[in-house]
Amino acid sequence: MSNQTSTSSIAASQQPSFQHSLVCFAAVVITIAGGLFGLGISLHALMFVCLLWTGVNAAFIGFNYLQIRKLMTSSLSKAMPAIYIFILIGMVISSFMHSGTIATLMYYGLSWLSPSLFLAVGLVLCAIMSVATGTSWGTVGTLGVVLIGIGSAMSIPLPLVAGMIVCGATFGDKMSPISDTTNLAAMSAGTTLFRHIYAMLFTTVPTFILTLIIFLIIGFSHSFGNADQNLTFSSITQIQTALNKEYKLMPLITLLPLLLLATLSIKKVAAEVSMSCSIVLAVLIAIFYQGESNIESTVIVLNALWENTPASTGIANLDALLGRGGITSMSWTLLLALMAIALGGILHGAGFLSALLKGSIARVKRTASLIATTIVSGFVGNIAMGEAYISIILNCQLFKEKYDDQKLEGAILSRSVEEGSTMTTALIPWTTAGAFYAATLGVDVLSYLPYAFFNYLNAIVAVIMAAVGIGLLKK
């Protein structure tokens, strides 16, 4: 194969065997799991080792260095929109902090939310916002940050709060007609957008209701549900007084950046444009409304877009929260995402994933087993490639013929792929979504994972319903 040969087609001499692919992929998983949990090695260092390992394996089956580099570059180029959003989200958070947007939501949220209903109400609010905007990242980066602050003030364990936020945000990312993953799955499976959403209703709505019930039970049965124990009136007043002293909290002004972001998202304006406009508006509010409209306040606000600094309310936890955001806050996440996506480019482009998954697909006979295999394949794709977009496209290509053989509509394929890819990407520390959520919420993935009920219960509900024949759309 010459250097000019497209990486999308692999010559027969370069196709890895199932056994080779299994060894290659297993070594990647063992390296990350063993190094991270057993030895405490940096995840970035482990990713570098995995890149070397997969590169050597690709070279073993005939790829030269330039071709391997092209596999990585091609994968990174497809993920550029997500990388742009990484950078912009850091600036959205810091600008919303300085404009008083986050402070306003916290101030009134502390008055409206009770500890016992906080988790359930927060879940619904995140779901509504993510459906309306079509972005789980935007929901986590704005409303999620607010809920983390309120939850902290209510002495609710932050991993539990983060799990709730991820559940609500993922619901919209999966169900919104303006979500990129929703549209991508429908397109890749060859079905219409609204047929895809209709098919997802059968499994997603029951799972969301079950998740809502779980959070209600937790809210009413745990000690933080008792305001007399963990959330005294004086503590609420102290936080609200500090916020009111630090910011001017006029909702008609301070909430404008969030309203602009939501409006542009609903109108399907590109995420990069929507975020940039909301950042500009938030900066103007921070300078001319919150600040003193002088050079000094302008410099402080603009520097915060790069690296924010703690506030000065006198409450340590609140100061740390209000000092979050800035481009530098996303650097750890962004670098990890770049390395994970490059790794996925080699595993996918060199054919390791296809060889590994096709061996499993051939053995599937029953519909429930096919759906379960599709979901697991999506999860494996996320682990390997660190990005749900590539996993969605790959699995739709791999399983389409098998679904046709079983006379299942393309909407069932797109639904199953989303339940394996979209739903699990937040549960893996090195995916773009997992790393982003951890950096934004200040809670690592493995801490909130047990409480992301919606994300893993959805797969169980989907397989059970397939086994009993509910929600299967036949041709």
Side-chain angles (χ1 to χ4, degrees), residues 123-351:
L123 174 70
V124 174
L125 289 175
C126 286
I128 292 172
M129 182 170 178
S130 59
V131 169
T133 62
T135 168
S136 59
W137 287 26
T139 300
V140 170
T142 51
L143 182 58
V145 174
V146 174
L147 292 174
I148 281 287
I150 297 174
S152 176
M154 292 181 171
S155 299
I156 300 175
L158 293 188
L160 182 57
V161 179
M164 171 271 289
I165 294 167
V166 169
C167 287
T170 306
F171 176 84
D173 196 27
K174 187 185 180 191
M175 297 300 296
S176 175
I178 58 174
S179 166
D180 48 4
T181 55
T182 307
N183 282 273
L184 179 62
M187 179 183 66
S188 301
T191 189
T192 64
L193 173 62
F194 289 101
R195 191 63 175 171
H196 170 52
I197 293 174
Y198 172 72
M200 291 194 294
L201 290 173
F202 288 98
T203 57
T204 307
V205 172
T207 308
F208 185 80
I209 293 172
L210 178 60
T211 302
L212 179 62
I213 292 171
I214 292 173
F215 280 123
L216 279 170
I217 293 172
I218 293 174
F220 281 104
S221 62
H222 283 64
S223 59
F224 56 76
N226 186 340
D228 292 335
Q229 292 182 15
N230 288 325
L231 185 63
T232 64
F233 178 77
S234 60
S235 65
I236 294 177
T237 303
Q238 182 184 16
I239 293 171
Q240 289 180 318
T241 300
L243 290 171
N244 199 33
K245 184 179 179 180
E246 186 78 4
Y247 299 95
K248 299 172 186 174
L249 301 175
M250 175 63 70
L252 291 177
I253 297 176
T254 57
L255 296 185
L256 284 176
L258 183 60
L259 180 62
L260 177 63
L261 178 62
T263 302
L264 293 177
S265 298
I266 292 171
K267 290 182 175 295
K268 298 184 180 180
V269 175
E272 297 92 333
V273 177
S274 300
M275 290 181 181
S276 296
C277 290
S278 66
I279 290 168
V280 171
L281 180 56
V283 166
L284 292 175
I285 291 172
I287 295 172
F288 296 106
Y289 179 66
Q290 298 291 356
E292 299 177 359
S293 304
N294 55 30
I295 296 297
E296 184 180 355
S297 63
T298 302
V299 170
I300 291 173
V301 172
L302 292 178
N303 279 337
L305 296 179
W306 168 248
E307 183 176 14
N308 204 1
T309 54
S312 55
T313 64
I315 303 174
N317 290 340
L318 184 60
D319 288 342
L321 173 68
L322 296 174
R324 296 185 59 190
I327 296 173
T328 56
S329 69
M330 307 305 298
S331 59
W332 188 96
T333 308
L334 180 58
L335 291 172
L336 178 64
L338 292 174
M339 298 178 78
I341 293 168
L343 174 65
I346 300 176
L347 287 171
H348 172 43

Side-chain angles (χ1 to χ4, degrees), residues 85-94 137-138 141 275 330 436 440:
I85 291 173
F86 263 107
I87 297 171
L88 287 168
I89 280 289
M91 292 192 285
V92 166
I93 294 173
S94 63
W137 287 26
M275 290 181 181
M330 307 305 298
F436 172 78
T440 303

